[in-house]
Amino acid sequence: MTEPLKVLIIEDDPDIVLGCEQALQLEGIACDSVGSAEAARRRLGPDFAGIVVSDIRLPRCDGLSFMRELMALDPELPVVLITGHGDIAMAVQAMKDGAHDFIQKPFAPEYLVGAVRRALDKRRLVLEVRELRRQLAQRDAIDGQLLGQSASMQRLRALLTGLASSAADVLIQGETGTGKELVARCLHAASPRRQGHFVAINCGGLPDTLFDSEIFGHEAGAYTGAAKKRIGKIEHANGGTLFLDEIESMPLGMQIKLLRVLQERTLERLGSNTLIPIDCRVIAATKTDLLALSDQGGFRSDLYYRLSVATLALPPLRERREDIALLFEHFALQGAARHQRPVPETNAERMRQLMAHHWPGNVRELRNVAERCVLGIEAGSPPFSSPGGTSPAQPLAGTVEAFERALIADALRRHGGSLARSAEALGVAKTTLHDKIRKHGLDQGSA
């Protein structure tokens, strides 16, 4: 918790309010006050960063009923009640109903400060635990989808975890098949917007004539054939996430409109002059260099800079070969379950071919290869084609290095990072394996 906690005082007696505020402010405790339950409702929510100090008797609402209302809103919100001499029975019942503490009038300032400090300590711990749980849920959502122990994938997962809770628009760059939409979906699933819609549009698959209506929507009669009103994709994504794949294919005229939406967070449907407020996160994806494209006049530079506040670069599979064994095993298990077939054996020759392949289709191609292996039809197709096939040749030294690194990473993963058991499985001395781990930059503890 970096946000300082505050005390909300609910009291209609100005003298008591003044005394409470002075006592707390002298101790450096931030506080604010309202005179009724109605005013307090506008300030309180499930994750209110503070506590409540309330009189047990309030105008048009007794403090006990209001406390029960707060408990329903947030059962862990500490409420300290101020009671009069004749309200002790009510205060005892309030403690049974979940009140944190009560103070009987008249009370000494130090008694109020002590009760408030204890309540603030409890609230701080509750909010810290909630934030840790949210972070853990984000990490689990991301780790469960983006597989791989390579350094590049670990960096990517860390970036995603940091971005998930923010409202920043994101630009994802990566070759075809690297998993750009999967990354976008992970961002959405780990974000506070996960209850909203995830709306995906392939900008390269829409005719220019349909772009305006599809993305921004239209009113009935906006053009010939528009018989009824249509909600556009951006409006449908309100409260959620809009994913624009192949953003480089968006027509320049639509880029201007999208830029205006991103800057003003409003849109107009085609055929309408009414501004509609928009609250959605925009994630764009591209396989091209948008900045170079903008220099050639093919993409608006102002839109590029607006989208690239946060940029994620996805590594191609050939640059993280140590993840191939893990990914192949994962896809093979999925394929076997889907096709009701046995899981194919990963022998040394099959692994050698997987490691030597260039993978122009990246993870998507590897998934297809795993499916073919499950179905028993991999023969004659990359990466299992004959030496005279079309798969790009790889330098021998580089292939051997990548193969060795992948085998070591896989052994460490399978044996929980144990150096001794991994060395035994690989048939090498522990000192040799330790040197190779350092040589390849592998993290033994996180493998």
Side-chain angles (χ1 to χ4, degrees):
M1 281 294 299
T2 58
E3 183 182 358
L5 299 186
K6 178 178 285 189
V7 179
L8 180 63
I9 303 168
I10 309 173
E11 173 62 70
D12 63 332
D13 186 328
D15 293 331
I16 295 179
V17 170
L18 180 61
C20 290
E21 288 182 341
Q22 287 180 341
L24 296 175
Q25 289 169 358
L26 285 172
E27 294 296 324
I29 299 173
C31 61
D32 203 354
S33 60
V34 293
S36 66
E38 291 82 359
R41 287 188 186 98
R42 295 192 288 269
R43 309 246 188 140
L44 296 169
D47 286 315
F48 174 65
I51 69 163
V52 170
V53 175
S54 174
D55 197 324
I56 207 167
R57 297 187 182 275
L58 296 171
R60 298 179 299 281
C61 177
D62 72 87
L64 196 56
S65 297
F66 185 56
M67 187 208 70
R68 294 192 186 105
E69 183 182 324
L70 294 180
M71 292 296 98
L73 180 70
D74 186 343
E76 296 177 298
L77 175 65
V79 178
V80 177
L81 294 174
I82 299 174
T83 69
H85 179 71
D87 297 330
I88 299 301
M90 288 179 64
V92 171
Q93 183 59 47
M95 294 290 287
K96 292 179 180 178
D97 290 344
H100 176 76
D101 204 346
F102 71 92
I103 306 170
Q104 185 179 350
K105 301 174 187 176
F107 50 83
E110 56 270 20
Y111 194 85
L112 169 70
V113 170
V116 164
R117 285 196 188 280
R118 290 190 295 273
L120 286 172
D121 288 342
K122 178 182 178 181
R123 186 60 171 172
R124 187 174 292 106
L125 180 61
V126 164
L127 294 179
E128 285 175 355
V129 169
R130 287 183 185 177
E131 179 60 25
L132 288 172
R133 285 174 177 164
R134 274 193 288 266
Q135 292 178 8
L136 183 61
Q138 289 176 357
R139 192 192 71 186
D140 289 346
I142 292 170
D143 288 358
Q145 293 292 320
L146 300 179
L147 303 180
Q149 291 301 321
S150 59
S152 58
M153 289 304 294
Q154 292 183 37
R155 285 193 299 270
L156 177 62
R157 286 193 294 267
L159 282 171
L160 284 174
T161 301
L163 283 172
S165 59
S166 77
D169 296 329
V170 178
L171 177 64
I172 303 174
Q173 296 174 319
E175 297 178 5
T176 298
T178 48
K180 296 185 286 293
E181 182 168 347
L182 176 62
V183 169
R185 289 185 180 276
C186 285
L187 261 177
H188 173 75
S191 77
R193 299 176 180 273
R194 57 186 167 271
Q195 300 302 324
H197 294 124
F198 178 88
V199 181
I201 298 178
N202 188 321
C203 299
L206 282 178
D208 291 1
T209 53
L210 294 180
F211 236 105
D212 208 326
S213 174
E214 188 73 16
I215 294 183
F216 300 99
H218 65 250
E219 296 290 342
Y223 56 87
T224 304
K228 59 182 180 179
K229 179 175 73 175
R230 175 184 175 84
I231 301 297
K233 297 294 188 183
I234 297 179
E235 195 174 345
H236 185 54
N238 211 9
T241 301
L242 177 70
F243 175 58
L244 299 172
D245 199 7
E246 297 188 29
I247 187 73
E248 71 277 4
S249 303
M250 180 177 284
L252 288 172
M254 293 301 103
Q255 292 180 29
I256 297 172
K257 282 193 163 187
L258 176 62
L259 179 62
R260 187 178 300 118
V261 171
L262 294 179
Q263 289 174 338
E264 300 175 7
R265 295 294 167 174
T266 59
L267 65 78
E268 294 178 16
R269 298 192 196 111
L270 191 64
S272 171
N273 294 320
T274 303
L275 290 176
I276 300 170
I278 294 299
D279 176 24
C280 70
R281 173 186 235 168
V282 176
I283 303 176
T286 180
K287 60 180 180 292
T288 64
D289 185 339
L290 291 184
L291 196 54
L293 189 60
S294 71
D295 291 340
Q296 300 164 13
F299 197 83
R300 291 188 63 91
S301 59
D302 46 5
L303 178 57
Y304 166 76
Y305 289 117
R306 184 64 184 79
L307 288 170
S308 61
V309 173
T311 302
L312 296 173
L314 306 192
L317 186 56
R318 62 183 174 276
E319 292 180 5
R320 56 182 189 108
R321 292 180 183 271
E322 60 267 43
D323 292 334
I324 289 175
L326 172 63
L327 289 169
F328 179 82
E329 179 183 349
H330 174 72
F331 294 143
L333 286 170
Q334 285 186 335
R338 181 163 50 252
H339 300 298
Q340 298 294 299
R341 300 286 183 89
V343 179
E345 179 186 354
T346 307
N347 53 45
E349 176 57 21
R350 175 174 281 163
M351 184 56 63
R352 184 196 66 76
Q353 291 174 313
L354 291 173
M355 293 302 302
H357 188 55
H358 185 63
W359 298 110
N362 291 292
V363 177
R364 184 181 296 149
E365 182 184 2
L366 179 59
R367 180 193 291 272
N368 291 340
V369 167
E371 291 249 349
R372 291 198 297 270
C373 288
V374 168
L375 296 171
I377 56 174
E378 74 269 28
S381 60
F384 306 113
S385 53
S386 63
T390 59
S391 181
Q394 300 299 304
L396 178 61
T399 300
V400 171
E401 289 277 317
F403 188 41
E404 181 181 75
R405 190 180 198 279
L407 286 176
I408 294 173
D410 186 54
L412 289 170
R413 178 180 62 83
R414 290 177 180 276
H415 295 93
S418 169
L419 185 69
R421 288 194 295 161
S422 299
E424 182 180 355
L426 293 169
V428 298
K430 284 192 293 184
T431 53
T432 301
L433 181 57
H434 182 265
D435 290 341
K436 289 184 179 294
I437 289 172
R438 294 181 58 187
K439 170 188 170 184
H440 293 298
L442 292 170
D443 185 353
Q444 180 184 340
S446 64

